[in-house]
Amino acid sequence: MNKFYLVLFLIFLLMGCSENGNPTPRELLGEENVDIFLMNEVVYAKASDIDWVTESEYTIGEEVAEISKQQNRAIGFNNGTANILPVGTKIYETGQGFVIAIVGEKEVPYIALLEG
C-alpha cells in the first residue's frame, strides 16, 4: 500500500478520536510523512498528492496566516505552528477548498482535516 494512502487512512481513522471529531497535532505528529500546520485551531495537511487538489485551477487570494514556529512536539503546537514548513512561510486562501503555502518559489497545497 502506498505510504501516502496509509497515512491518509490513519488520519481519517484518528478523526473520530478527538473531542470534536477533527484530528489534533498530538494524534498526527507521530505518523511518518506527515506535513501539517495549525491555523484557527484546525490542522491542515499537505495535499500535493491528492488529485482533485492538484487538478484544480485556483487563484491565490488573501494571506490568511504565517508560520511563526516549527516543531515536532504536540505540546505547544499552537496556531501558526508547523512541523515541516519553515518559519515565515505565508499561507494564502484559494477559494477552492484548500490553501496554498508559498515555500520559496513553490506553491504547496494544504487541506483542512475536518470531520463531516
Side-chain angles (χ1 to χ4, degrees), residues 2-77:
N2 183 317
K3 283 185 181 181
F4 170 75
Y5 292 110
L6 179 60
V7 170
L8 192 58
F9 171 76
L10 290 172
I11 289 171
F12 288 122
L13 180 66
L14 292 171
M15 288 172 86
C17 297
S18 64
E19 187 174 301
N20 64 3
N22 297 336
T24 65
R26 179 177 309 281
E27 295 166 337
L28 300 172
L29 285 171
E31 302 300 323
E32 189 176 326
N33 298 324
V34 170
D35 182 347
I36 62 171
F37 70 88
L38 191 66
M39 178 175 73
N40 299 325
E41 304 301 326
V42 174
V43 175
Y44 284 75
K46 187 174 180 181
S48 57
D49 291 334
I50 299 175
D51 289 340
W52 74 263
V53 173
T54 59
E55 295 169 2
S56 294
E57 292 187 25
Y58 63 88
T59 302
I60 293 179
E62 291 185 36
E63 181 181 328
V64 291
E66 182 174 332
I67 301 303
S68 57
K69 183 169 54 171
Q70 184 186 66
Q71 71 178 41
N72 288 310
R73 295 175 300 127
I75 295 174
F77 203 100

